[in-house]
Amino acid sequence: MVPYFEFQNAVKLLCGELALERIAIELELMGAERPLMLSDAVLTKIGTLAVVIQAMESEGVNPAAVFTEIPVDSSLAVVNRIAAFYREQGCDSIVAVGGGSVIDTAKGVRLVLSQNRQDILSLSGLDNLVRGRHIPFVVVPTTAGTGSECTGVAVIRNDDNGVKMEFLSPYVEPDVAVIDPRMTLGLPPKATATTGMDALVHAIEACTCQQANPLSSAYGTAAIRMIAENVETATRNGKDKQARFSMALASTLAGIAFSNSMVGAVHAIGHALGGVCHVPHAVAMTILLPHVMRYNLSHSARDYADLLPWLVGQDAAMATPAGERAEAAIAAVESLSRRLADICGIPLKLSDAGVSKDAFAHVAEVAVNDGALIVNPRAADESQVMEILNAAY
């Protein structure tokens, strides 16, 4: 156990049926009357954003303004643009509806506003922020993977250098997160599978990185069990409300876990693949996880062995010889990935995701400078990252 750790989760969770209808009263309790709604074009087109707005309006709160031009891979420039829009429209709060890009963008906007800045780049750094002005902030996740609704980090792309920057502070955490199964019912099978694997990466890395602690591991192992039991059902039958709700809760649990311990090399390399090669984050996580686990095995065998019951069930784990349980945990992850690929055709290799080996050197250079690599169980230099990339190719 680490000799000292801190744990924080200040987000109020509204979970289950009709949770959306509680947004209005939560805004009222925070003294907010003119929320800015943030989302993206896809969620606007398929009507997901409208469901949230209608739930708010049914309880007496109308948005003061709506911004839906957040791209899949958002940027610092988009954050600054939205902050200016918020001020122009006289808004007093933020309601973000979307996946990781929308939520991380909203976190960035809140930072800019709360610190009274014009450019989020001026706020880069680690734990260098005071609380600032309170901007009431509600998030409604529409995927079950990022856990962004409960994390103290925002990952936003810097278009000038192609690097995904991490803004870490407890003050980026939302006030309220709404976990309503209606929000993920329309998620396509491939997105369900890869975001579910993203949540699994969060949980596994939270339980095995150098800053893992008993509380983060409690949340992380609970998430692993829920994902292992529900992700295939949710992928195969997207209308299964119980599986959808379980996956949404698992994503939140994993988000709380890694926000209080950190992640590791899967994320460091995944961030680099996203920044350099534009590989979607959840796809990168899905592909990289077993390869990084195998790289870490010499330093993490006991931790991986401890995760086996949560991946395959207590009986199957106990039937596995103790000395084989770490390898069995990696095999369980690989098997789960293959079963999901059989269901919906998600890529399991970097070559299938359109990555060229010509980019590996640049990806490795970026990855070794990613903060997530610092707490990975095993150190990695550029040549070792290249080995992982080649294994995943």
Side-chain angles (χ1 to χ4, degrees):
M1 186 191 307
V2 290
Y4 173 83
F5 67 92
E6 297 180 3
F7 191 95
Q8 174 169 328
N9 180 42
V11 183
K12 182 175 182 178
L13 300 175
L14 312 180
C15 305
E17 297 286 347
L18 301 180
L20 294 174
E21 281 70 19
R22 290 286 303 174
I23 295 174
I25 186 63
E26 294 299 331
L27 290 171
E28 180 181 337
L29 290 172
M30 290 185 284
E33 299 177 342
R34 295 181 52 80
L36 167 64
M37 302 294 299
L38 297 181
S39 193
D40 61 34
V42 172
L43 293 173
T44 303
K45 182 178 180 180
I46 67 176
T48 303
L49 177 61
V51 172
V52 179
I53 292 176
Q54 288 166 9
M56 292 169 58
E57 290 178 339
S58 71
E59 298 298 321
V61 173
N62 299 308
V66 179
F67 186 100
T68 60
E69 299 173 35
I70 298 175
V72 173
D73 199 6
S74 194
S75 68
L76 305 181
V78 174
V79 168
N80 293 336
R81 178 183 170 196
I82 296 172
F85 180 70
Y86 177 101
R87 290 167 171 139
E88 291 167 2
Q89 298 298 314
C91 299
D92 62 8
S93 52
I94 299 170
V95 178
V97 181
S101 183
V102 170
I103 295 174
D104 280 4
T105 297
K107 287 178 175 178
V109 173
R110 189 199 205 187
L111 271 184
V112 172
L113 295 169
S114 67
Q115 304 297 316
N116 196 28
R117 302 292 182 90
Q118 305 297 318
D119 186 355
I120 188 173
L121 193 58
S122 68
L123 299 172
S124 60
L126 178 64
D127 289 336
N128 62 338
L129 302 175
V130 297
R131 183 176 297 275
R133 181 164 61 98
H134 180 229
I135 306 295
F137 182 24
V138 177
V139 299
V140 185
T142 58
T143 65
T146 69
S148 294
E149 64 273 10
C150 283
T151 66
V153 60
V155 181
I156 305 169
R157 178 182 169 88
N158 185 336
D159 284 336
D160 291 339
N161 57 17
V163 171
K164 288 193 172 184
M165 300 182 64
E166 295 177 334
F167 295 82
L168 292 94
S169 170
Y171 307 129
V172 303
E173 286 186 358
D175 296 298
V176 177
V178 182
I179 315 301
D180 192 309
R182 285 175 286 177
M183 291 291 94
T184 58
L185 289 177
L187 198 63
K190 287 186 179 179
T192 300
T194 56
T195 56
M197 290 300 293
D198 185 17
L200 184 63
V201 174
H202 291 153
I204 289 175
E205 292 202 306
C207 291
T208 59
C209 73
Q210 293 184 43
Q211 291 184 177
N213 61 74
L215 296 182
S216 63
S217 293
Y219 280 86
T221 50
I224 292 169
R225 178 181 62 80
M226 294 180 76
I227 294 164
E229 292 177 353
N230 291 282
V231 67
E232 290 174 82
T233 300
T235 301
R236 191 178 287 111
N237 177 16
K239 300 302 180 184
D240 188 314
K241 283 191 175 182
Q242 186 57 51
R244 288 294 197 188
F245 189 33
S246 295
M247 287 302 298
L249 289 175
S251 175
T252 299
L253 288 168
I256 295 170
F258 88 81
S259 188
N260 284 282
S261 64
M262 268 296 282
V263 278
V266 183
H267 275 77
I269 302 172
H271 291 157
L273 282 167
V276 175
C277 303
H278 305 288
V279 178
H281 179 76
V283 171
M285 298 296 98
T286 303
I287 294 170
L288 291 170
L289 177 58
H291 301 287
V292 172
M293 289 180 73
R294 202 164 295 284
Y295 173 80
N296 286 337
L297 184 58
S298 61
H299 290 61
S300 302
R302 181 176 178 178
D303 289 335
Y304 290 159
D306 288 345
L307 296 183
L308 187 61
W310 309 96
L311 287 164
V312 301
Q314 188 70 35
D315 291 343
M318 291 302 294
T320 305
E324 299 175 11
R325 289 174 189 168
E327 284 278 4
I330 299 174
V333 168
E334 291 174 325
S335 177
L336 178 58
S337 298
R338 286 194 297 270
R339 295 197 304 272
L340 291 172
D342 288 342
I343 294 171
C344 62
I346 58 173
L348 299 181
K349 299 178 180 179
L350 292 176
S351 54
D352 296 334
V355 177
S356 169
K357 282 193 172 186
D358 294 340
F360 281 6
H362 189 192
V363 171
E365 179 185 3
V366 173
V368 296
N369 290 300
D370 190 287
L373 197 60
I374 297 172
V375 294
N376 191 65
R378 181 183 175 190
D381 58 23
E382 290 185 29
S383 65
Q384 290 165 319
V385 172
M386 290 280 282
E387 290 174 11
I388 295 169
L389 292 169
N390 279 299
Y393 192 75

